[in-house]
Amino acid sequence: MKTELETLPANQFDSDRCPLCGNPNHCQLCAIDPHKGPCWCAKVEIPDALLARVPHDMRNKACICRDCVMEFHRSKNSKTIQPKMAAGDFYFENGLMVLTAAAHLRRGYCCGSHCRHCPY
């Protein structure tokens, strides 16, 4: 089943949109707006398996969005055994577990929960 984005000719593709879902990619490097600092995508590793999903004629023309990257990691991690937390990966505050930046980086993606120490 083709998405609406896949039916667009490559020359009509918008570089500030994700080549997988068509939503804004919020990439500082792809957007036509003036550069506003480092981009979120420079802090994450985008897996080769996800990059392979980008249609051939759209490769290296726009970044994949954060939602597609997060969804890929979630689906991959739900099929594998999660590594156990190590000492120093978290602490408790007001009865809640708070993950450190190191624990977030080891996970490899942002969960979208607006975590206090999220490096993404």
Side-chain angles (χ1 to χ4, degrees), residues 5 13-28 30-31 40 62-68:
L5 183 63
F13 183 71
D14 192 355
S15 66
D16 63 349
R17 298 212 167 260
C18 175
L20 297 177
C21 68
N23 291 327
N25 58 21
H26 303 291
C27 178
Q28 294 292 333
C30 292
W40 69 269
C63 288
I64 297 171
C65 71
R66 185 185 321 234
D67 291 338
C68 286

Side-chain angles (χ1 to χ4, degrees), residues 85-91 98-103 106:
M85 292 280 180
D89 280 349
F90 63 93
Y91 60 91
V98 180
L99 297 177
T100 64
R106 203 170 10 272

Side-chain angles (χ1 to χ4, degrees), residues 23-110:
N23 291 327
N25 58 21
H26 303 291
C27 178
Q28 294 292 333
L29 304 174
C30 292
I32 59 173
D33 297 334
H35 180 68
K36 293 179 179 67
C39 185
W40 69 269
C41 64
K43 297 178 184 175
V44 298
E45 182 179 333
I46 301 186
D48 291 335
L50 183 60
L51 291 170
R53 294 181 185 178
V54 176
H56 187 68
D57 60 339
M58 294 182 186
R59 290 186 184 172
N60 298 317
K61 295 183 180 166
C63 288
I64 297 171
C65 71
R66 185 185 321 234
D67 291 338
C68 286
V69 174
M70 287 175 23
E71 183 56 37
F72 177 84
H73 284 297
R74 281 187 195 125
S75 67
K76 183 183 94 174
N77 288 339
S78 68
K79 297 172 189 168
T80 60
I81 297 172
Q82 294 291 318
K84 293 186 178 184
M85 292 280 180
D89 280 349
F90 63 93
Y91 60 91
F92 288 96
E93 184 175 283
N94 298 327
L96 300 174
M97 184 170 70
V98 180
L99 297 177
T100 64
H104 288 288
L105 287 170
R106 203 170 10 272
R107 180 177 53 200
Y109 68 96
C110 175

